[in-house]
Amino acid sequence: MNPHDAASSLFEALLAEAQHWACNEAEDQEVLEAIDRAPTPFDKLALIRNSSLVPSGLSSAVADALLALDPTTYSPAPTPAGLFTPDPELHRIREASITVVDASPEDNTPSDVYEI
């Protein structure tokens, strides 16, 4: 089995576990729907990790394994051409992302910039 297939199987097992433990409560169902609608595997994984559907230790361990097996699929999407920012910090909060771009005298940015 190649690393991509192994990572895919591992992710599917984590997703199945989340679905198994989800209650019929609206909040759990909304999380499952958001996971289903998420555009990338990285986004799906982030939603699972930030939910209470599976223990945080389990989701963190699986996320680390997925990144080790298939970093191309389970890493954040690369910055589109023309929008390069030097080493921004990315923070995911539910379905939103906040990127922190450090101040840079070269482009007249006097303080950090926060992009949502």
Side-chain angles (χ1 to χ4, degrees), residues 22-48:
C23 297
N24 286 329
E25 295 175 5
E27 183 180 341
D28 284 358
Q29 295 306 310
E30 287 174 9
V31 171
L32 289 175
E33 290 171 9
I35 292 167
D36 189 48
R37 289 189 314 265
T40 68
F42 173 81
D43 294 324
K44 291 176 188 294
L45 181 60
L47 287 168
I48 293 171

PDB file of all heavy atoms in Angstrom, residues 22-48:
ATOM      1  N   ALA A  22     -21.169  10.633  16.848  1.00  0.00           N
ATOM      2  CA  ALA A  22     -22.017  11.823  16.754  1.00  0.00           C
ATOM      3  C   ALA A  22     -23.412  11.517  17.302  1.00  0.00           C
ATOM      4  O   ALA A  22     -23.972  10.457  17.050  1.00  0.00           O
ATOM      5  CB  ALA A  22     -22.116  12.284  15.305  1.00  0.00           C
ATOM      6  N   CYS A  23     -23.934  12.446  18.053  1.00  0.00           N
ATOM      7  CA  CYS A  23     -25.293  12.312  18.574  1.00  0.00           C
ATOM      8  C   CYS A  23     -26.267  12.891  17.560  1.00  0.00           C
ATOM      9  O   CYS A  23     -25.872  13.480  16.564  1.00  0.00           O
ATOM     10  CB  CYS A  23     -25.421  13.092  19.883  1.00  0.00           C
ATOM     11  SG  CYS A  23     -24.378  12.481  21.208  1.00  0.00           S
ATOM     12  N   ASN A  24     -27.531  12.740  17.840  1.00  0.00           N
ATOM     13  CA  ASN A  24     -28.546  13.322  16.978  1.00  0.00           C
ATOM     14  C   ASN A  24     -28.768  14.802  17.288  1.00  0.00           C
ATOM     15  O   ASN A  24     -29.660  15.424  16.728  1.00  0.00           O
ATOM     16  CB  ASN A  24     -29.874  12.562  17.100  1.00  0.00           C
ATOM     17  CG  ASN A  24     -29.804  11.235  16.394  1.00  0.00           C
ATOM     18  OD1 ASN A  24     -29.098  11.081  15.401  1.00  0.00           O
ATOM     19  ND2 ASN A  24     -30.535  10.260  16.907  1.00  0.00           N
ATOM     20  N   GLU A  25     -27.966  15.354  18.178  1.00  0.00           N
ATOM     21  CA  GLU A  25     -28.072  16.767  18.514  1.00  0.00           C
ATOM     22  C   GLU A  25     -27.723  17.608  17.287  1.00  0.00           C
ATOM     23  O   GLU A  25     -26.887  17.222  16.461  1.00  0.00           O
ATOM     24  CB  GLU A  25     -27.119  17.121  19.657  1.00  0.00           C
ATOM     25  CG  GLU A  25     -27.455  16.446  20.964  1.00  0.00           C
ATOM     26  CD  GLU A  25     -26.427  16.719  22.043  1.00  0.00           C
ATOM     27  OE1 GLU A  25     -25.499  17.519  21.807  1.00  0.00           O
ATOM     28  OE2 GLU A  25     -26.553  16.121  23.111  1.00  0.00           O
ATOM     29  N   ALA A  26     -28.356  18.779  17.208  1.00  0.00           N
ATOM     30  CA  ALA A  26     -28.148  19.665  16.055  1.00  0.00           C
ATOM     31  C   ALA A  26     -26.678  20.039  15.888  1.00  0.00           C
ATOM     32  O   ALA A  26     -26.168  20.077  14.768  1.00  0.00           O
ATOM     33  CB  ALA A  26     -29.009  20.915  16.198  1.00  0.00           C
ATOM     34  N   GLU A  27     -25.983  20.283  16.995  1.00  0.00           N
ATOM     35  CA  GLU A  27     -24.584  20.705  16.908  1.00  0.00           C
ATOM     36  C   GLU A  27     -23.713  19.634  16.253  1.00  0.00           C
ATOM     37  O   GLU A  27     -22.913  19.935  15.358  1.00  0.00           O
ATOM     38  CB  GLU A  27     -24.048  21.035  18.300  1.00  0.00           C
ATOM     39  CG  GLU A  27     -22.628  21.560  18.291  1.00  0.00           C
ATOM     40  CD  GLU A  27     -22.120  21.890  19.687  1.00  0.00           C
ATOM     41  OE1 GLU A  27     -22.939  22.061  20.610  1.00  0.00           O
ATOM     42  OE2 GLU A  27     -20.904  21.972  19.841  1.00  0.00           O
ATOM     43  N   ASP A  28     -23.845  18.395  16.674  1.00  0.00           N
ATOM     44  CA  ASP A  28     -23.065  17.304  16.079  1.00  0.00           C
ATOM     45  C   ASP A  28     -23.402  17.127  14.607  1.00  0.00           C
ATOM     46  O   ASP A  28     -22.512  16.917  13.774  1.00  0.00           O
ATOM     47  CB  ASP A  28     -23.308  15.991  16.825  1.00  0.00           C
ATOM     48  CG  ASP A  28     -22.584  15.917  18.160  1.00  0.00           C
ATOM     49  OD1 ASP A  28     -21.860  16.870  18.501  1.00  0.00           O
ATOM     50  OD2 ASP A  28     -22.766  14.908  18.860  1.00  0.00           O
ATOM     51  N   GLN A  29     -24.679  17.226  14.287  1.00  0.00           N
ATOM     52  CA  GLN A  29     -25.084  17.057  12.889  1.00  0.00           C
ATOM     53  C   GLN A  29     -24.559  18.199  12.016  1.00  0.00           C
ATOM     54  O   GLN A  29     -24.160  17.979  10.878  1.00  0.00           O
ATOM     55  CB  GLN A  29     -26.611  16.945  12.785  1.00  0.00           C
ATOM     56  CG  GLN A  29     -27.170  15.699  13.457  1.00  0.00           C
ATOM     57  CD  GLN A  29     -26.501  14.422  12.964  1.00  0.00           C
ATOM     58  OE1 GLN A  29     -26.376  14.182  11.777  1.00  0.00           O
ATOM     59  NE2 GLN A  29     -26.079  13.585  13.902  1.00  0.00           N
ATOM     60  N   GLU A  30     -24.519  19.413  12.573  1.00  0.00           N
ATOM     61  CA  GLU A  30     -23.965  20.554  11.834  1.00  0.00           C
ATOM     62  C   GLU A  30     -22.477  20.347  11.563  1.00  0.00           C
ATOM     63  O   GLU A  30     -21.982  20.666  10.490  1.00  0.00           O
ATOM     64  CB  GLU A  30     -24.191  21.848  12.597  1.00  0.00           C
ATOM     65  CG  GLU A  30     -25.627  22.319  12.582  1.00  0.00           C
ATOM     66  CD  GLU A  30     -25.856  23.526  13.471  1.00  0.00           C
ATOM     67  OE1 GLU A  30     -24.880  24.114  13.979  1.00  0.00           O
ATOM     68  OE2 GLU A  30     -27.035  23.880  13.665  1.00  0.00           O
ATOM     69  N   VAL A  31     -21.774  19.814  12.548  1.00  0.00           N
ATOM     70  CA  VAL A  31     -20.342  19.544  12.367  1.00  0.00           C
ATOM     71  C   VAL A  31     -20.144  18.504  11.267  1.00  0.00           C
ATOM     72  O   VAL A  31     -19.291  18.674  10.388  1.00  0.00           O
ATOM     73  CB  VAL A  31     -19.682  19.087  13.688  1.00  0.00           C
ATOM     74  CG1 VAL A  31     -18.264  18.610  13.451  1.00  0.00           C
ATOM     75  CG2 VAL A  31     -19.700  20.210  14.714  1.00  0.00           C
ATOM     76  N   LEU A  32     -20.926  17.433  11.295  1.00  0.00           N
ATOM     77  CA  LEU A  32     -20.806  16.401  10.257  1.00  0.00           C
ATOM     78  C   LEU A  32     -21.110  16.970   8.874  1.00  0.00           C
ATOM     79  O   LEU A  32     -20.421  16.652   7.896  1.00  0.00           O
ATOM     80  CB  LEU A  32     -21.724  15.223  10.556  1.00  0.00           C
ATOM     81  CG  LEU A  32     -21.316  14.340  11.738  1.00  0.00           C
ATOM     82  CD1 LEU A  32     -22.378  13.286  11.992  1.00  0.00           C
ATOM     83  CD2 LEU A  32     -19.957  13.701  11.517  1.00  0.00           C
ATOM     84  N   GLU A  33     -22.115  17.838   8.780  1.00  0.00           N
ATOM     85  CA  GLU A  33     -22.437  18.464   7.496  1.00  0.00           C
ATOM     86  C   GLU A  33     -21.309  19.386   7.041  1.00  0.00           C
ATOM     87  O   GLU A  33     -20.967  19.425   5.856  1.00  0.00           O
ATOM     88  CB  GLU A  33     -23.755  19.235   7.595  1.00  0.00           C
ATOM     89  CG  GLU A  33     -24.965  18.332   7.722  1.00  0.00           C
ATOM     90  CD  GLU A  33     -26.238  19.093   8.025  1.00  0.00           C
ATOM     91  OE1 GLU A  33     -26.243  20.336   7.975  1.00  0.00           O
ATOM     92  OE2 GLU A  33     -27.249  18.421   8.324  1.00  0.00           O
ATOM     93  N   ALA A  34     -20.727  20.125   7.970  1.00  0.00           N
ATOM     94  CA  ALA A  34     -19.610  21.009   7.628  1.00  0.00           C
ATOM     95  C   ALA A  34     -18.411  20.194   7.145  1.00  0.00           C
ATOM     96  O   ALA A  34     -17.737  20.583   6.187  1.00  0.00           O
ATOM     97  CB  ALA A  34     -19.216  21.864   8.834  1.00  0.00           C
ATOM     98  N   ILE A  35     -18.156  19.057   7.789  1.00  0.00           N
ATOM     99  CA  ILE A  35     -17.064  18.179   7.360  1.00  0.00           C
ATOM    100  C   ILE A  35     -17.327  17.689   5.944  1.00  0.00           C
ATOM    101  O   ILE A  35     -16.440  17.700   5.092  1.00  0.00           O
ATOM    102  CB  ILE A  35     -16.891  16.998   8.332  1.00  0.00           C
ATOM    103  CG1 ILE A  35     -16.378  17.492   9.689  1.00  0.00           C
ATOM    104  CG2 ILE A  35     -15.952  15.937   7.757  1.00  0.00           C
ATOM    105  CD1 ILE A  35     -16.463  16.466  10.808  1.00  0.00           C
ATOM    106  N   ASP A  36     -18.561  17.307   5.682  1.00  0.00           N
ATOM    107  CA  ASP A  36     -18.936  16.817   4.352  1.00  0.00           C
ATOM    108  C   ASP A  36     -18.770  17.901   3.284  1.00  0.00           C
ATOM    109  O   ASP A  36     -18.347  17.618   2.169  1.00  0.00           O
ATOM    110  CB  ASP A  36     -20.377  16.308   4.379  1.00  0.00           C
ATOM    111  CG  ASP A  36     -20.758  15.601   3.102  1.00  0.00           C
ATOM    112  OD1 ASP A  36     -19.978  14.735   2.647  1.00  0.00           O
ATOM    113  OD2 ASP A  36     -21.840  15.915   2.556  1.00  0.00           O
ATOM    114  N   ARG A  37     -19.073  19.151   3.636  1.00  0.00           N
ATOM    115  CA  ARG A  37     -18.984  20.262   2.678  1.00  0.00           C
ATOM    116  C   ARG A  37     -17.580  20.848   2.549  1.00  0.00           C
ATOM    117  O   ARG A  37     -17.316  21.606   1.628  1.00  0.00           O
ATOM    118  CB  ARG A  37     -19.929  21.393   3.091  1.00  0.00           C
ATOM    119  CG  ARG A  37     -21.389  21.103   2.921  1.00  0.00           C
ATOM    120  CD  ARG A  37     -22.223  22.366   3.156  1.00  0.00           C
ATOM    121  NE  ARG A  37     -21.826  23.121   4.344  1.00  0.00           N
ATOM    122  CZ  ARG A  37     -22.389  23.004   5.542  1.00  0.00           C
ATOM    123  NH1 ARG A  37     -23.359  22.151   5.740  1.00  0.00           N
ATOM    124  NH2 ARG A  37     -21.967  23.745   6.552  1.00  0.00           N
ATOM    125  N   ALA A  38     -16.702  20.552   3.469  1.00  0.00           N
ATOM    126  CA  ALA A  38     -15.358  21.145   3.452  1.00  0.00           C
ATOM    127  C   ALA A  38     -14.665  20.840   2.130  1.00  0.00           C
ATOM    128  O   ALA A  38     -14.732  19.720   1.627  1.00  0.00           O
ATOM    129  CB  ALA A  38     -14.535  20.627   4.624  1.00  0.00           C
ATOM    130  N   PRO A  39     -13.991  21.839   1.549  1.00  0.00           N
ATOM    131  CA  PRO A  39     -13.435  21.678   0.203  1.00  0.00           C
ATOM    132  C   PRO A  39     -12.192  20.798   0.085  1.00  0.00           C
ATOM    133  O   PRO A  39     -11.940  20.227  -0.962  1.00  0.00           O
ATOM    134  CB  PRO A  39     -13.114  23.114  -0.218  1.00  0.00           C
ATOM    135  CG  PRO A  39     -12.925  23.858   1.061  1.00  0.00           C
ATOM    136  CD  PRO A  39     -13.827  23.185   2.066  1.00  0.00           C
ATOM    137  N   THR A  40     -11.399  20.698   1.153  1.00  0.00           N
ATOM    138  CA  THR A  40     -10.154  19.930   1.051  1.00  0.00           C
ATOM    139  C   THR A  40     -10.046  18.941   2.206  1.00  0.00           C
ATOM    140  O   THR A  40     -10.667  19.140   3.262  1.00  0.00           O
ATOM    141  CB  THR A  40      -8.916  20.848   1.104  1.00  0.00           C
ATOM    142  OG1 THR A  40      -8.827  21.423   2.424  1.00  0.00           O
ATOM    143  CG2 THR A  40      -8.980  21.949   0.050  1.00  0.00           C
ATOM    144  N   PRO A  41      -9.253  17.892   2.036  1.00  0.00           N
ATOM    145  CA  PRO A  41      -9.021  16.963   3.156  1.00  0.00           C
ATOM    146  C   PRO A  41      -8.454  17.668   4.389  1.00  0.00           C
ATOM    147  O   PRO A  41      -8.794  17.329   5.512  1.00  0.00           O
ATOM    148  CB  PRO A  41      -8.032  15.954   2.582  1.00  0.00           C
ATOM    149  CG  PRO A  41      -8.301  15.965   1.114  1.00  0.00           C
ATOM    150  CD  PRO A  41      -8.633  17.406   0.797  1.00  0.00           C
ATOM    151  N   PHE A  42      -7.596  18.666   4.173  1.00  0.00           N
ATOM    152  CA  PHE A  42      -7.037  19.418   5.303  1.00  0.00           C
ATOM    153  C   PHE A  42      -8.157  20.095   6.093  1.00  0.00           C
ATOM    154  O   PHE A  42      -8.176  20.062   7.315  1.00  0.00           O
ATOM    155  CB  PHE A  42      -6.037  20.468   4.826  1.00  0.00           C
ATOM    156  CG  PHE A  42      -5.574  21.362   5.942  1.00  0.00           C
ATOM    157  CD1 PHE A  42      -4.588  20.949   6.818  1.00  0.00           C
ATOM    158  CD2 PHE A  42      -6.143  22.617   6.133  1.00  0.00           C
ATOM    159  CE1 PHE A  42      -4.174  21.758   7.868  1.00  0.00           C
ATOM    160  CE2 PHE A  42      -5.741  23.430   7.182  1.00  0.00           C
ATOM    161  CZ  PHE A  42      -4.752  23.000   8.044  1.00  0.00           C
ATOM    162  N   ASP A  43      -9.106  20.719   5.369  1.00  0.00           N
ATOM    163  CA  ASP A  43     -10.224  21.386   6.034  1.00  0.00           C
ATOM    164  C   ASP A  43     -11.105  20.394   6.777  1.00  0.00           C
ATOM    165  O   ASP A  43     -11.569  20.667   7.889  1.00  0.00           O
ATOM    166  CB  ASP A  43     -11.058  22.168   5.017  1.00  0.00           C
ATOM    167  CG  ASP A  43     -10.291  23.326   4.409  1.00  0.00           C
ATOM    168  OD1 ASP A  43      -9.497  23.967   5.128  1.00  0.00           O
ATOM    169  OD2 ASP A  43     -10.475  23.583   3.203  1.00  0.00           O
ATOM    170  N   LYS A  44     -11.340  19.232   6.185  1.00  0.00           N
ATOM    171  CA  LYS A  44     -12.137  18.197   6.839  1.00  0.00           C
ATOM    172  C   LYS A  44     -11.449  17.740   8.129  1.00  0.00           C
ATOM    173  O   LYS A  44     -12.084  17.615   9.180  1.00  0.00           O
ATOM    174  CB  LYS A  44     -12.339  17.008   5.904  1.00  0.00           C
ATOM    175  CG  LYS A  44     -13.232  17.297   4.709  1.00  0.00           C
ATOM    176  CD  LYS A  44     -13.303  16.093   3.786  1.00  0.00           C
ATOM    177  CE  LYS A  44     -13.999  16.371   2.497  1.00  0.00           C
ATOM    178  NZ  LYS A  44     -15.409  16.680   2.586  1.00  0.00           N
ATOM    179  N   LEU A  45     -10.150  17.527   8.041  1.00  0.00           N
ATOM    180  CA  LEU A  45      -9.380  17.093   9.199  1.00  0.00           C
ATOM    181  C   LEU A  45      -9.401  18.158  10.295  1.00  0.00           C
ATOM    182  O   LEU A  45      -9.563  17.848  11.477  1.00  0.00           O
ATOM    183  CB  LEU A  45      -7.944  16.767   8.785  1.00  0.00           C
ATOM    184  CG  LEU A  45      -7.012  16.269   9.870  1.00  0.00           C
ATOM    185  CD1 LEU A  45      -7.541  14.972  10.478  1.00  0.00           C
ATOM    186  CD2 LEU A  45      -5.615  16.052   9.293  1.00  0.00           C
ATOM    187  N   ALA A  46      -9.265  19.419   9.912  1.00  0.00           N
ATOM    188  CA  ALA A  46      -9.289  20.503  10.890  1.00  0.00           C
ATOM    189  C   ALA A  46     -10.635  20.558  11.611  1.00  0.00           C
ATOM    190  O   ALA A  46     -10.681  20.770  12.827  1.00  0.00           O
ATOM    191  CB  ALA A  46      -8.996  21.839  10.206  1.00  0.00           C
ATOM    192  N   LEU A  47     -11.711  20.365  10.883  1.00  0.00           N
ATOM    193  CA  LEU A  47     -13.039  20.358  11.511  1.00  0.00           C
ATOM    194  C   LEU A  47     -13.184  19.200  12.490  1.00  0.00           C
ATOM    195  O   LEU A  47     -13.751  19.365  13.578  1.00  0.00           O
ATOM    196  CB  LEU A  47     -14.130  20.295  10.440  1.00  0.00           C
ATOM    197  CG  LEU A  47     -14.331  21.582   9.648  1.00  0.00           C
ATOM    198  CD1 LEU A  47     -15.220  21.330   8.440  1.00  0.00           C
ATOM    199  CD2 LEU A  47     -14.916  22.669  10.534  1.00  0.00           C
ATOM    200  N   ILE A  48     -12.687  18.041  12.117  1.00  0.00           N
ATOM    201  CA  ILE A  48     -12.750  16.893  13.032  1.00  0.00           C
ATOM    202  C   ILE A  48     -11.930  17.178  14.281  1.00  0.00           C
ATOM    203  O   ILE A  48     -12.373  16.934  15.401  1.00  0.00           O
ATOM    204  CB  ILE A  48     -12.267  15.595  12.345  1.00  0.00           C
ATOM    205  CG1 ILE A  48     -13.247  15.182  11.236  1.00  0.00           C
ATOM    206  CG2 ILE A  48     -12.122  14.470  13.366  1.00  0.00           C
ATOM    207  CD1 ILE A  48     -12.752  14.038  10.368  1.00  0.00           C
TER     208      ILE A  48
END
